[in-house]
Structure formats: C-alpha cells, structure tokens
Amino acid sequence: MEIRRAGEIREVVGAEHLFDGPARVGAVERFLHEPGHHLLIAYVAERPVGMITGVETTHPDKGTEMFLYELSVDPAYRRRGVGGSLVRALAGLARDRGCHGMWVGTERDNTAALATYRGTGATDEEDFVALTWSFRNHD
C-alpha cells in the first residue's frame, strides 16, 4: 500500500467511490488550493482503496491543530490496516506542519471508526455535542 497526497482533480475524481457522493469539481479545486487542507489517498496496485481529509484550524489562544474531517476505506479493503495507516499519515503530516494536536468527531455507535482512532493513539474526551447549521451549498 502507498499513501499519497492528492494534488490534482483527476486523483480525487478517480477516488470518488470513497466519498459520500460524486466529486464536485469546483469543491475539489477549492479544497486542493487551500494550503491548510489535506487529502491523502491510499493505493493498492494503483487502485484508490482509502482516503482521509484533514483541515488545519488555528485559534488565537490555542495555536493550530488538525481536524480529521473524513476517513473512508473501500469495503473490500477494511480490516487490513488501511484506515489506521491513513490516520497515522495525517497525524505525521500534522506534526510536520507544527500542529499541536489532532481531533475528530464521530458517532458513538460507529465502532469501526472508534476502534481505528483509538488504535492509532486517540483518547476519548469528555462528552462532546455536535450542533450543525445547514446552508444552501454553492461551489
């Protein structure tokens, strides 16, 4: 398995089966051109089998940390270490970029995600509540 940082639209479109829906070219361009946005893709024999996205967030009194935005592994490649390798790769990138930490949110019943994150050294925080706003989506 090889993990590479995506830098071109074609790479992301080639891995769109790992996303929740089809890649939207305008959103892909915007994501790839933001210096604090990161998309890593895991390949087996040049086939995309997993991806992870991270976004650096900086706060005036906290510094910069990496938000693990999304992790996905092709069902045929799950339970083979792909997810853990992607998380470790993003954590390494975060360290290299001077982030003081990394965080992720997931559902309490997402046992696969929880096992992956805990297996790569993540620790549980106190109860966490996520609230969301939905706006019309424009690229």
Side-chain angles (χ1 to χ4, degrees):
M1 177 179 54
E2 180 184 5
I3 296 175
R4 299 190 303 249
R5 183 171 179 173
E8 297 181 18
I9 294 171
R10 66 175 177 75
E11 294 172 284
V12 179
V13 171
E16 71 183 358
H17 65 282
L18 299 167
F19 292 90
D20 295 329
R24 297 178 7 207
V25 173
V28 173
E29 282 180 330
R30 185 173 176 183
F31 189 94
L32 293 178
H33 286 97
E34 289 290 331
H37 290 188
H38 311 283
L39 170 56
L40 306 177
I41 302 173
Y43 294 89
V44 171
E46 293 302 313
R47 174 177 162 60
V49 299
M51 70 85 187
I52 192 167
T53 55
V55 177
E56 293 177 40
T57 60
T58 302
H59 194 271
D61 69 342
K62 293 174 184 63
T64 302
E65 60 188 340
M66 184 70 71
F67 166 52
L68 190 165
Y69 194 99
E70 188 169 9
L71 172 66
S72 175
V73 177
D74 186 302
Y77 290 86
R78 291 182 183 159
R79 302 190 58 85
R80 297 185 187 188
V82 175
S85 294
L86 284 163
V87 172
R88 284 187 289 278
L90 184 64
L93 178 65
R95 277 194 235 38
D96 291 348
R97 294 186 56 84
C99 295
H100 68 82
M102 185 165 85
W103 68 280
V104 66
T106 192
E107 297 79 13
R108 291 186 189 281
D109 64 350
N110 190 341
T111 56
L114 290 169
T116 297
Y117 301 141
R118 288 176 179 143
T120 57
T123 56
D124 293 8
E125 292 290 324
E126 64 268 2
D127 281 342
F128 178 81
V129 176
L131 305 168
T132 63
W133 288 259
S134 292
F135 305 115
R136 279 208 167 274
N137 221 355
H138 298 285
D139 286 337

